Amino acid sequence: MMNYFKENLTLDENGIYRKETKADVTKLIEKFYKTKPFPNYKKNENKSSILKVGDSNFVAKKIKEKFRFDKKILEVGSGTCQLSNYLAIGTNNKIFALDTTIESLKLGKKFSDENLIKNITFVKADLFDDLFIHNTFDLVWCSGVLHHTKDPYGGFKN
């Protein structure tokens, strides 16, 4: 895989790249979502059900139609990576799911592994970590994240 990172990250036993954070606000968010990963997967969910949910979201569906082939997409605050999985299914895009909570990322990775979705890279890091080589992505999706930070405007700029 081509290197998209500015620095070497640790690849853990789950296949998730990690950059540990020291930010107090981030640690509070991690603690909350550690016990309540959101959104969680239902027992019978698969590619088909994720596609159905994604296609019912007007914005997600339009983005998937527009960014269909050979794009690089970063989802910041991916949670359990349902959107990342949706954007990856049936495309050759390179999807990066970034979240600060390892438990959420593990759920997303488990789903992608069980459903043979191979074009997602999972990254445990903070929004404020300057991890990626600039101008890597064709699209950065960040929804429901900035209000969880110590500096929403700084997070937006990054």
Side-chain angles (χ1 to χ4, degrees):
M1 177 172 90
M2 186 177 155
N3 189 11
Y4 299 100
F5 301 113
K6 287 182 171 183
E7 58 186 85
N8 289 327
L9 299 181
T10 304
L11 184 62
D12 73 12
E13 68 279 357
N14 299 298
I16 298 171
Y17 287 92
R18 288 185 183 226
K19 167 127 186 186
E20 294 306 322
T21 185
K22 295 177 175 84
D24 290 340
V25 173
T26 303
K27 293 221 175 270
L28 286 172
I29 299 302
E30 283 181 58
K31 185 177 177 182
F32 176 79
Y33 285 110
K34 179 177 185 170
T35 58
K36 298 171 182 65
F38 178 81
N40 208 337
Y41 291 88
K42 296 177 182 122
K43 290 190 187 295
N44 60 347
E45 280 191 298
N46 56 32
K47 282 184 184 179
S48 179
S49 60
I50 289 294
L51 283 172
K52 184 177 179 181
V53 170
D55 285 345
S56 70
N57 179 306
F58 179 81
V59 175
K61 183 177 180 182
K62 290 299 178 187
I63 285 172
K64 186 163 181 166
E65 289 171 358
K66 174 88 173 155
F67 294 89
R68 188 124 200 120
F69 296 105
D70 201 28
K71 301 295 182 200
K72 291 179 251 3
I73 300 172
L74 170 63
E75 182 187 8
V76 177
S78 61
T80 59
C81 314
Q82 291 183 7
L83 179 64
S84 290
N85 277 301
Y86 169 72
L87 294 173
I89 295 169
T91 75
N92 69 344
N93 293 331
K94 291 178 180 35
I95 310 296
F96 292 78
L98 184 143
D99 201 88
T100 190
T101 307
I102 193 67
E103 288 75 16
S104 295
L105 289 165
K106 284 180 184 177
L107 288 173
K109 177 84 165 86
K110 180 178 183 274
F111 181 89
S112 74
D113 289 347
E114 289 173 351
N115 288 277
L116 305 175
I117 303 167
K118 304 286 185 193
N119 51 330
I120 303 177
T121 299
F122 298 87
V123 182
K124 186 221 178 286
D126 188 290
L127 166 66
F128 294 95
D129 294 330
D130 191 17
L131 296 178
F132 297 101
I133 295 169
H134 290 276
N135 298 317
T136 294
F137 299 104
D138 298 293
L139 174 72
V140 176
W141 178 290
C142 181
S143 178
V145 174
L146 296 175
H147 66 282
H148 288 298
T149 69
K150 64 183 182 258
D151 177 11
Y153 182 68
F156 175 78
K157 285 184 357 182
N158 191 39

